[in-house]
Amino acid sequence: QIAVPDMVIYEAHVKGLTIDFPGLPEADRGRYGGSGHAAVIAHLKRLGVTSVELMPTHSFVDDRHLVDQGKRNYWGYNSIGYFSPDQRYSASGSSKEFKTMVKTLHSAGIEVILDVVYNHTAEGNHLGPTLSFKGIDNTVYYRLSDEDRRYYKDYTGCGNTLNLEHPRVLQLVMDSLRHWVQEMHVDGFRFDLAASL
């Protein structure tokens, strides 16, 4: 593990880093395989990078207003699946590709940090879709308005706020963090809107 004062962190979007990177095979462009490709690693090493912070890679969905405009969610800050890498960055459709990327970066001496979004989900406010947590137990997973529990407390600006005060929700987040460290071998996390947790 690299001591904090010695870290040089490179924040990267999996697709943005690799989609036009010179020398990458077409199949690796915009994918986990591209982020672990020798050409990308050589570039990071030339820059003196010790740690790559990947912008959200948890499974996420496209916002309705974007879909209505024929667009897609590029950034990934709309998580819904806290235990799986998003498949749009996978050429094979397997989480093995993510693990291989991490292993390859590690073998080059580069740590992998994930930007994680546990402060809200893709389900949005009371007008948003029911994708998972709303249907399982809306009153447990989200912070609801004290005046009218049909509405959400929105400390995130995204329509809802996950209720980490509830032990099952906190367990979900802790289990997810453990999964990414133990199974996917990442080295650390950057918590999006950490103050709202």
Side-chain angles (χ1 to χ4, degrees):
Q1 189 150 20
I2 298 162
V4 172
D6 299 327
M7 293 176 86
V8 176
I9 300 172
Y10 187 103
E11 182 181 27
H13 184 279
V14 171
K15 183 177 180 182
L17 174 64
T18 63
I19 196 71
D20 291 323
F21 199 92
L24 290 187
E26 192 61 37
D28 287 339
R29 293 180 179 279
R31 312 273 188 219
Y32 299 119
S35 295
H37 191 275
V40 172
I41 290 173
H43 172 68
L44 296 172
K45 295 299 271 183
R46 273 193 306 277
L47 294 174
V49 171
T50 64
S51 311
V52 172
E53 178 193 317
L54 295 176
M55 295 174 83
T57 59
H58 286 162
S59 291
F60 63 94
V61 298
D62 297 321
D63 310 71
R64 182 79 208 172
H65 72 279
L66 293 176
V67 172
D68 290 344
Q69 297 174 42
K71 298 178 182 177
R72 305 220 36 207
N73 180 332
Y74 180 81
W75 298 110
Y77 290 89
N78 213 9
S79 298
I80 199 66
Y82 293 127
F83 292 86
S84 62
D86 197 87
Q87 294 303 299
R88 67 188 83 198
Y89 305 135
S90 172
S92 65
S94 168
S95 62
K96 231 176 162 180
E97 195 173 326
F98 182 94
K99 291 168 102 170
T100 299
M101 173 198 67
V102 172
K103 184 178 181 181
T104 306
L105 287 163
H106 282 171
S107 67
I110 298 174
E111 292 180 328
V112 178
I113 300 167
L114 295 185
D115 189 345
V116 290
V117 184
Y118 295 114
N119 56 73
H120 73 279
T121 74
E123 292 186 295
N125 63 19
H126 64 287
L127 300 174
T130 298
L131 302 172
S132 65
F133 304 116
K134 280 184 180 181
I136 295 170
D137 194 336
N138 190 54
T139 63
V140 165
Y141 283 97
Y142 295 108
R143 293 184 182 196
L144 303 177
S145 167
D146 296 327
E147 293 78 39
D148 188 338
R149 296 187 55 79
R150 289 180 299 165
Y151 301 106
Y152 296 81
K153 291 182 179 179
D154 183 10
Y155 301 127
T156 66
C158 298
N160 65 52
T161 304
L162 218 55
N163 183 15
L164 268 72
E165 294 175 346
H166 193 283
R168 294 294 70 84
V169 181
L170 180 58
Q171 180 183 1
L172 168 78
V173 170
M174 296 305 294
D175 287 349
S176 171
L177 292 169
R178 272 189 287 278
H179 168 77
W180 287 95
V181 170
Q182 295 170 352
E183 299 298 322
M184 307 304 266
H185 308 290
V186 303
D187 301 288
F189 305 96
R190 179 262 177 194
F191 292 88
D192 183 59
L193 294 177
S196 69
L197 298 177

